[in-house]
Amino acid sequence: MKVPWPMLADSILIRPIERTDYKQWLPLWDGYNAFYGRSGATALPEAITVATWERFFDPAEPVHALVAVQGERIVGLAHYLFHRSTTRLNEVCYLNDLFTLPECRGQGIARRLIEAVYASAQAVGSTRVYWSTQTTNIAGRALYDQVAQHHGFIIYSHELGA
């Protein structure tokens, strides 16, 4: 199944990111990172932002990006990737980043982005989309509880030196 891009719902257009979107994408990317405490002294190095951007346009990369457009303005983003799983035959989809401009929240933009990721995953034969968020993300979790199932997992991580 091929995803019918662009996807239009109400006044929100969901479509794959384009090279010309960089100037509007960057403030959303920065806002997403700031939400998770990555700003100022703890900001991501510019090299990570550049590499992330370039991955969206490299067909060898499993990383993809969608944007939500209202009028001429990008108001939301979703970054996702596909990877193998030991519990599935087909690849699974990890919704890595989801962000909507604060002044545009409550309009269904995040829901539409999630649904577009679902459609993208289904189009390539993936049978699962999953993501993580902080326990303190109350507004996000209220939406996530409507569009997905929380299975009770807790995420652990350990940073390795570069």
Side-chain angles (χ1 to χ4, degrees), residues 3 32-33 48 51 55-57 66 81 87-88 90 94 105 107 110 117 132 137-138 140 144 156 160:
V3 177
Y32 170 80
N33 283 300
I48 292 176
R55 287 175 179 154
F56 300 146
F57 305 101
L66 299 173
L81 58 97
T87 62
R88 311 254 172 159
N90 295 349
Y94 180 63
R105 293 187 181 147
Q107 299 178 27
V117 171
S132 61
N137 184 1
I138 303 303
Y144 305 156
Y156 289 88
L160 302 172

Side-chain angles (χ1 to χ4, degrees), residues 77-142:
L77 61 78
H79 304 153
Y80 59 101
L81 58 97
F82 295 102
H83 67 87
R84 296 191 187 279
S85 171
T86 59
T87 62
R88 311 254 172 159
L89 292 176
N90 295 349
E91 291 184 327
V92 295
C93 179
Y94 180 63
L95 174 53
N96 207 118
D97 313 315
L98 179 69
F99 187 76
T100 303
L101 289 174
E103 66 271 21
C104 297
R105 293 187 181 147
Q107 299 178 27
I109 296 166
R111 176 186 296 267
R112 290 185 183 109
L113 283 163
I114 291 169
E115 290 169 350
V117 171
Y118 288 170
S120 295
Q122 191 171 29
V124 299
S126 181
T127 57
R128 180 176 186 240
V129 175
Y130 72 104
W131 60 93
S132 61
T133 193
Q134 290 180 328
T135 57
T136 56
N137 184 1
I138 303 303
R141 292 182 68 193

